[in-house]
Amino acid sequence: MGFEEIVCRNDDERFMLEAMREAELAAGADEVPVGAVIVKGGEVIARAHNLVETSCRSAAHAEMLAIEAAESALGAKWLPETTLYVTLEPCSMCAGAMVLARIPRLVIGTDDPKTGACGSVLNVACNDRLNHRIDISRGVLGEECREQIRSYFRKKREEHKIKNAAGRQQI
């Protein structure tokens, strides 16, 4: 994806572009391309991308890794005055971790209609029954984030077709 073509009009877009760069690193490692950055005071304090396949850990989502890095950087279990930028709507595990870390703001690139837990399938991030709710902004560089994911899965489907076709020819 040509990041140089994306013109950022504000800080949300600028930091989402950083998350997209992380997602590109994930794709390069044959991971689902999700990237996250955590910002405090206008500075990126943590960045991460999916490492589920590489690490063989189901919890190695970009958001979880970024939260761990931010907590380590700040020496604290809570992350007040931060914003988490992520290219794909967080799942229930990641949304729950954000609530527990008391992250006040979340910026989402594109929604996840299959597992999104910030409003698409369920809403952990803004549940009135929990002790913390997160202010959410959606659709920041949404088309670009959506295309990044779609492109990855198109490529995977094509690779699968080629592999299956080659397997049939050998029989």
Side-chain angles (χ1 to χ4, degrees), residues 65-84:
L65 299 173
I67 289 169
E68 288 176 17
E71 289 170 339
S72 180
L74 297 177
K77 65 179 179 178
W78 291 340
L79 302 173
E81 302 172 9
T82 62
T83 300
L84 190 149

Side-chain angles (χ1 to χ4, degrees), residues 4-170:
E4 60 282 345
E5 299 166 13
I6 298 174
V7 177
C8 297
R9 298 169 298 216
N10 55 51
D11 283 346
D12 280 353
E13 289 183 356
R14 181 168 62 95
F15 292 124
M16 185 59 72
L17 185 58
E18 291 300 312
M20 290 179 68
R21 286 186 170 105
E22 285 296 316
E24 194 69 16
L25 293 173
D30 205 23
E31 297 275 354
V32 174
V34 177
V37 298
I38 297 179
V39 173
K40 183 173 184 170
E43 299 293 324
V44 174
I45 61 166
R47 59 178 62 240
H49 56 271
N50 274 1
L51 289 174
V52 173
E53 303 301 326
T54 306
S55 69
C56 294
R57 292 177 24 233
S58 60
H61 290 196
E63 304 95 319
M64 298 295 287
L65 299 173
I67 289 169
E68 288 176 17
E71 289 170 339
S72 180
L74 297 177
K77 65 179 179 178
W78 291 340
L79 302 173
E81 302 172 9
T82 62
T83 300
L84 190 149
Y85 293 83
V86 65
T87 58
L88 180 67
E89 180 181 0
C91 68
S92 56
M93 172 183 67
C94 295
M98 286 183 263
V99 168
L100 292 174
R102 309 275 200 292
I103 293 173
R105 183 165 183 253
L106 169 65
V107 179
I108 299 169
T110 190
D111 292 340
D112 184 347
K114 293 185 179 183
T115 64
C118 298
S120 290
V121 176
L122 51 111
N123 201 340
V124 173
C126 297
N127 189 316
D128 288 336
R129 298 179 73 188
L130 299 177
N131 65 332
H132 177 75
R133 280 157 293 293
I134 301 169
D135 178 42
I136 300 173
S137 298
R138 311 181 95 77
V140 174
L141 296 182
E143 272 307 310
E144 294 85 348
C145 290
R146 194 168 14 267
E147 182 52 34
Q148 195 173 35
I149 297 245
R150 284 180 178 163
S151 173
Y152 172 81
F153 283 110
R154 266 194 304 271
K155 179 181 170 201
K156 296 301 279 179
R157 283 190 299 274
E158 189 59 35
E159 288 171 359
H160 184 73
K161 271 198 261 185
I162 291 168
K163 182 180 171 186
N164 284 344
R168 283 191 299 272
Q169 288 175 354
Q170 292 177 355

